[in-house]
Amino acid sequence: MAKKTIRTIPQDRTPIPEQAPEVRAKNFDEVTLGYEVEQALNESMRCLLCPEPACVPACPVSIDIPGFIEKISNKDYRGAYDTISQNSLLPAICGRVCPQEDQCEMVCPVGETLEPVAIGRLERWIGDLAIKEGWASIPYSKPNTFKIGVVGSGPAGMACAADMAKAGCDVTIFEALHKPGGVLRYGIPEFRLPNSVVDTELENLAKLGVKIECNVLIGRLFTIEDMLEEMGFDAVFVGTGAGAPKFMGIPGETLNGVLSANELLTRCNLMGAGDFPRHDTPMHLGKRISVIGSGNTAMDAMRVCLRLGAENVTCVYRRTEAESPARLEELHHANEEGIEFHWLTTPIEILDDGEGNVRAMRCLEMELGEPDDSGRRRPIPVEGSEFELETDMVIYAIGTNPNPIIGQTSKLKLNQWGYIEVDENMAGSIAGVYAGGDIVTGAATVILAMGAGRDAARSMKAYLGIRDSERACQIQDDGPMNRLFGIDIEERNFARIRIA
Amino acid sequence: MSFPALLHWSNSADTLHETSILAEVVLAMNKVGKNCKTNRNGASDGSPGGLELTGGNCGIVAREDFSDVTFLLEFHHPMMARAARPGQFVIVIAHEDGERIPLTIADFDADKGTVTLVIQAVGKTTRQMQEICQVGTKIHSVVGPMGVPSNTKGPKKVICVGGGLGVAPVYPQARAFKENGAYVIGVIGFRSKELMFWEDKFKAVCDEFIVCTDDGSEGIKGRVTDGIELALKGHDDIDELVAIGPPIMMQASVETTRPHNIKSTVSLNPIMVDGTGMCGGCRVMVGNELKFACVDGPDFDGHQVDFSDLMNRLARFRPDEKKAVENWEGG
């Protein structure tokens, strides 16, 4: 076959079928419907199969992207799934929620001239096909005697648990809520990530032998120290997630009708408040809803409100669309569905209707000044620009503070902001305790959390002296010094004496 | 000062939020022996792991009905019984499609491996629990203990006040104060004698004990504030007051100690969802600062708490609560 060039590949990115905006804004069914096989094959032809692909290092978990796309174009779909599975536990999830335009698709050379290869859509297609066909990459792993505890069943915990189970460990995940999945369950709404997809990935974990115990709040029912000292866990991974929602500290934040996006999403996604009173959890949705912030959580909150029947949903963000941290696709979808955007606007007070409910929000218009520490231009209030925005529900989606429970109940060292401090191996200050995901970095993405979980698993295996076959294969044999009896010395083969 | 609503809350079911203070659960804690080699499946009561979401599915070993609305549930959960401390709470889900309601622990017994809740059937969920939670069944889901435990060390002389259902959650604190060597003055208040519960149990951990009833059918005729005033008259060396009950009662109680500058602790039970600090639904204003009752509390300095804000927030879902009850009664 002749080498593909930018001129010979299909020029247009294969469009993905979507529900029409006016239809989908009234239901919770998935917005993007996914490729059919012909569409996936067509899109797979657009990959140039670069010998030194830029997309692989741009992927937080280094998926062999040209490798799996080539297998798709050869109609070896199972092979494509196996290729992805070597690095990613959750293709059906990450294909949906990764910010591909900032990662693999951003560096795709096709994107220099045309639209980049739709890597995320292909990944999702393979992930969905695997679910449909019941494929799972369950390698045989020789059981060892190590017991691993994982705190939190979100993407970081799931990834760490899977790797440790594949290494033969006895893994238990502890989840504080009554259903597992973390942010994939309570946070990301059904129309973006169906719960059935999360369930399948959790079932795959169960097939690996991972146990999940819900309704266990670590720190309060028992502590991380208890796990190591009394319960026989050899290592613990802490992936407790983003934590406590931030408020701004402006007047009126305790009025009824003011809530965090976390609360809205938890009520709706986890508790079924959209189906009140058949489900017991109420929502008491407003009619004219303002959402403060413009990240993915803000987009999710706004689109949930629309689907629950809000008449008007407005986004209030102090910078411009260009600085909005949301995925492009989410912004685009929100726009299409009729969300109103007030860019360069910041609230300064939430006003009372006289009965303890929200009546309006007093706002200031902003303009962009000099760049700040984040490199983004700093918004500055425009003098005399104060105005009232009529609203009966205000939702905060401006990020999170670290959850205090681990700090309150463990000696694990935290950094100055209250996040768990880890070294380059994801190891915390207590021997055998690793941490990763949002509780280490602050709010980030599913794929970064998953990557952190895998990094931690790698270090955990080294700490426990479990030979990491994956790692051993990756190391080039460049001399006897690097290998002792076939064992990579970087594995820091700790001799651990277990006291029975 | 007059608080017409004081102590009248126990029968005003329809005005009360399901997840408010009224659905207090008391978890009692005995000597918490560190008898480790813990049951790893503690939370799931011995159920197998995997994807079975049977987390807090705890068997009910005892039930006692104090009145037609107030009832006690004692359930088996050895790990929770071992971990619980006075002042902490649990979150209960009554059934598959149920809401998460916070209930303060009324008692816990590490030796028996049980946790006790005292519940008032005031809304849809608690009324349903009154119906379905029988000995031999399991509570659908319980997670806990949650929240920062009360500090029961230090004070030499303390007044422990329980208003109505609040008697249950303040009991383990009174007991712990006593065990830590404090002189404990118990003040409990009910509308009338028929609604009283745990008076003997409470009295047993107190050096002095004052019962107040609205109608004078037991103890002194008056509200808990009258009982507190009585205790303050008898002692000018009170170190701390702990008051648990409906917000209006806690507010009234801490006003009695404000002129005397006595440290006054209240236990807040605002509306919560997860109870782990994630949703922020339970935020309360304490000394002009925003606090999350679930992870920063539930205990706060009563002199700093903005009670009117708290009471406004407790009314947040009132129309929905009504609708839920109607829907449930309608079958």
Side-chain angles (χ1 to χ4, degrees):
Chain A
M1 196 171 76
K3 193 179 177 316
K4 288 196 273 188
T5 70
I6 196 80
R7 287 164 193 271
T8 62
I9 61 171
Q11 299 291 291
D12 294 329
R13 187 173 163 112
T14 316
I16 194 159
E18 289 179 351
Q19 283 196 74
E22 59 280 7
V23 176
R24 70 181 192 236
K26 293 186 179 65
N27 69 46
F28 275 88
D29 297 339
E30 211 174 357
V31 168
T32 47
L33 304 172
Y35 280 153
E36 298 293 334
V37 60
E38 300 77 24
Q39 292 164 317
L41 280 172
N42 185 63
E43 188 61 26
S44 73
M45 300 307 292
R46 298 183 72 236
C47 178
L48 296 173
L49 306 176
C50 310
E52 280 177 39
C55 51
V56 177
C59 171
V61 295
S62 310
I63 292 173
D64 178 6
I65 293 166
F68 93 79
I69 295 183
E70 185 175 23
K71 290 203 165 77
I72 296 180
S73 58
N74 293 337
K75 302 190 179 176
D76 175 12
Y77 309 133
R78 174 71 208 232
Y81 174 71
D82 290 338
T83 302
I84 298 176
S85 298
Q86 282 171 17
N87 297 71
S88 172
L89 172 69
L90 317 162
I93 293 174
C94 294
R96 284 171 168 85
V97 301
C98 260
Q100 290 97 1
E101 72 268 14
D102 298 327
Q103 298 172 359
C104 50
E105 294 180 15
M106 184 172 80
V107 296
C108 173
V110 174
E112 289 167 21
T113 339
L114 309 168
E115 283 220 70
V117 177
I119 299 168
R121 293 172 181 179
L122 289 173
E123 183 192 17
R124 172 187 160 175
W125 183 71
I126 288 295
D128 285 351
L129 190 65
I131 291 174
K132 204 171 118 203
E133 300 290 332
W135 297 337
S137 288
I138 312 295
Y140 172 75
S141 43
K142 191 162 171 266
N144 57 39
T145 54
F146 293 118
K147 250 175 79 172
I148 308 297
V150 174
V151 185
S153 65
M158 285 167 76
C160 182
D163 278 2
M164 296 314 288
K166 284 178 187 170
C169 300
D170 172 10
V171 184
T172 307
I173 300 181
F174 298 101
E175 167 58 48
L177 291 171
H178 56 289
K179 287 182 183 170
V183 72
L184 307 174
R185 176 84 57 187
Y186 75 76
I188 303 176
E190 187 78 11
F191 57 83
R192 202 147 79 78
L193 176 65
N195 274 336
S196 59
V197 174
V198 181
D199 289 338
T200 309
E201 302 295 6
L202 287 164
E203 279 160 25
N204 286 342
L205 271 186
K207 285 182 201 158
L208 287 170
V210 174
K211 285 164 281 187
I212 302 181
E213 294 288 345
C214 289
N215 285 321
V216 178
L217 179 60
I218 302 288
R220 292 296 175 199
L221 190 61
F222 48 84
T223 64
I224 291 169
E225 282 89 337
D226 287 341
M227 293 170 76
L228 292 167
E229 291 160 18
E230 294 177 10
M231 297 170 70
F233 286 98
D234 298 289
V236 173
F237 174 75
V238 184
T240 52
K246 272 187 194 162
F247 291 85
M248 294 172 74
I250 60 174
E253 285 180 343
T254 57
L255 289 172
N256 289 334
V258 181
L259 67 160
S260 71
N262 273 6
E263 181 176 355
L264 174 100
L265 294 170
T266 304
R267 282 181 182 275
C268 180
N269 302 338
L270 177 73
M271 305 307 298
D275 195 21
F276 177 84
R278 209 180 71 74
H279 285 71
D280 287 341
T281 305
M283 176 69 82
H284 210 77
L285 197 77
K287 290 190 168 62
R288 300 179 58 86
I289 300 176
S290 307
V291 176
I292 305 170
S294 179
N296 289 322
T297 307
M299 300 300 139
D300 285 347
M302 292 189 285
R303 297 170 70 200
V304 160
C305 290
L306 271 187
R307 282 159 176 78
L308 291 174
E311 286 167 13
N312 172 281
V313 183
T314 301
C315 174
V316 175
Y317 184 53
R318 62 196 180 120
R319 303 177 197 256
T320 72
E321 185 166 1
E323 287 90 16
S324 162
R327 283 178 83 211
L328 272 184
E329 183 175 278
E330 308 312 324
L331 260 174
H332 171 70
H333 282 155
N335 250 317
E336 277 186 341
E337 289 170 15
I339 304 290
E340 267 179 42
F341 288 90
H342 278 262
W343 304 113
L344 290 170
T345 306
T346 200
I348 50 171
E349 185 180 2
I350 302 167
L351 303 167
D352 195 337
D353 70 348
E355 293 176 4
N357 307 307
V358 175
R359 170 179 72 78
M361 196 158 68
R362 185 167 290 149
C363 300
L364 281 181
E365 285 174 18
M366 311 293 276
E367 60 189 6
L368 292 182
E370 296 299 306
D372 63 11
D373 296 345
S374 71
R376 297 180 299 181
R377 292 174 65 194
R378 187 194 305 271
I380 306 165
V382 176
E383 227 172 288
S385 64
E386 205 173 300
F387 70 101
E388 267 186 27
L389 184 70
E390 197 191 312
T391 181
D392 56 4
M393 191 171 215
V394 176
I395 296 168
Y396 278 76
I398 55 170
T400 52
N401 292 315
N403 189 297
I405 296 176
I406 296 295
Q408 287 169 346
T409 58
S410 156
K411 291 192 177 69
L412 206 55
K413 199 173 167 203
L414 308 179
N415 67 21
Q416 55 177 311
W417 299 281
Y419 294 102
I420 295 176
E421 194 164 288
V422 295
D423 65 12
E424 68 280 6
N425 297 313
M426 317 299 287
S429 61
I430 299 174
V433 179
Y434 296 78
D438 286 3
I439 193 60
V440 170
T441 58
T445 61
V446 169
I447 187 75
L448 284 169
M450 215 181 86
R454 300 208 69 202
D455 289 345
R458 212 165 286 133
S459 303
M460 227 180 228
K461 285 186 249 180
Y463 167 75
L464 297 171
I466 299 170
R467 192 175 167 207
D468 191 334
S469 55
E470 178 199 326
R471 190 188 175 102
C473 295
Q474 278 170 4
I475 302 274
Q476 297 297 313
D477 194 340
D478 52 5
M481 284 308 289
N482 265 1
R483 293 270 188 100
L484 290 170
F485 309 108
I487 296 169
D488 170 21
I489 52 168
E490 274 186 49
E491 285 176 34
R492 288 197 292 154
N493 214 0
F494 284 67
R496 274 177 57 89
I497 300 162
R498 303 196 65 216
I499 302 161
Chain B
M1 221 182 321
S2 162
F3 293 94
L6 188 57
L7 300 184
H8 286 278
W9 51 278
S10 58
N11 277 348
S12 53
D14 54 347
T15 65
L16 297 166
H17 189 271
E18 192 64 16
T19 61
S20 73
I21 181 79
L22 302 158
E24 286 286 350
V25 182
V26 189
L27 182 114
M29 127 187 179
N30 270 354
K31 283 141 221 123
V32 183
K34 277 227 162 186
N35 54 344
C36 299
K37 275 305 135 204
T38 328
N39 165 21
R40 275 182 58 211
N41 285 327
S44 59
D45 201 12
S47 72
L51 269 179
E52 286 194 15
L53 305 182
T54 51
N57 226 346
C58 315
I60 298 168
V61 298
R63 168 172 168 150
E64 194 178 338
D65 285 74
F66 297 129
S67 72
D68 54 356
V69 287
T70 310
F71 61 104
L72 171 152
L73 296 180
E74 183 177 356
F75 63 91
H76 189 71
H77 196 319
M79 210 168 203
M80 197 184 292
R82 166 185 173 263
R85 298 288 181 276
Q88 291 188 299
F89 64 94
V90 296
I91 283 190
V92 171
I93 304 175
H95 62 96
E96 182 63 35
D97 298 326
E99 62 180 331
R100 295 171 65 93
I101 64 166
L103 297 166
T104 310
I105 293 169
D107 208 351
F108 46 96
D109 187 328
D111 297 333
K112 274 164 77 184
T114 62
V115 174
T116 301
L117 306 174
V118 178
I119 302 169
Q120 195 149 40
V122 291
K124 191 256 170 178
T125 297
T126 43
R127 284 175 60 183
Q128 193 171 12
M129 284 178 74
Q130 188 184 28
E131 202 174 282
I132 63 177
C133 290
Q134 304 295 343
V135 173
T137 67
K138 286 179 166 190
I139 304 178
H140 181 76
S141 158
V142 185
V143 58
M146 300 170 124
V148 181
S150 304
N151 183 4
T152 52
K153 288 188 184 123
K156 301 271 181 303
K157 202 176 258 191
V158 61
I159 308 178
C160 291
V161 189
L165 192 69
V167 166
V170 84
Y171 166 73
Q173 292 201 47
R175 181 176 57 191
F177 276 119
K178 187 74 199 151
E179 282 168 359
N180 291 332
Y183 185 89
V184 180
I185 304 167
V187 177
I188 64 170
F190 292 91
R191 284 178 58 219
S192 72
K193 188 181 174 179
E194 296 77 59
L195 299 170
M196 282 175 52
F197 65 90
W198 276 17
E199 60 276 15
D200 294 336
K201 185 169 167 161
F202 205 113
K203 195 175 178 179
V205 299
C206 294
D207 297 281
E208 283 178 45
F209 192 60
I210 303 169
V211 178
C212 318
T213 51
D214 281 14
D215 59 3
S217 52
E218 180 79 30
I220 62 170
K221 183 175 191 300
R223 303 183 172 118
V224 286
T225 43
D226 298 310
I228 298 168
E229 297 285 6
L230 198 65
L232 290 172
K233 250 177 228 147
H235 304 267
D236 58 3
D237 56 348
I238 302 289
D239 297 300
E240 185 172 350
L241 171 117
V242 177
I244 307 185
I248 193 90
M249 168 258 154
M250 291 192 284
Q251 184 179 28
S253 298
V254 301
E255 286 311 316
T256 62
T257 54
R258 199 189 290 274
H260 305 281
N261 254 332
I262 295 170
K263 180 185 174 193
S264 298
T265 305
V266 293
S267 173
L268 304 186
N269 193 355
I271 296 168
M272 295 182 185
V273 185
D274 62 292
T276 64
M278 189 189 78
C279 84
C282 65
R283 61 196 187 282
V284 288
M285 292 300 287
V286 182
N288 286 322
E289 257 184 80
L290 209 56
K291 297 280 184 191
F292 289 3
C294 66
V295 288
D296 299 325
D299 285 0
F300 293 101
D301 176 354
H303 293 146
Q304 301 286 321
V305 170
D306 183 341
F307 282 100
S308 62
D309 187 78
L310 173 71
M311 285 183 263
N312 180 54
R313 288 187 61 73
L314 284 170
R316 181 174 161 203
F317 291 108
R318 201 158 278 169
D320 307 271
E321 287 153 30
K322 216 173 147 214
K323 194 170 163 191
V325 170
E326 284 165 8
N327 186 65
W328 181 64
E329 284 174 338

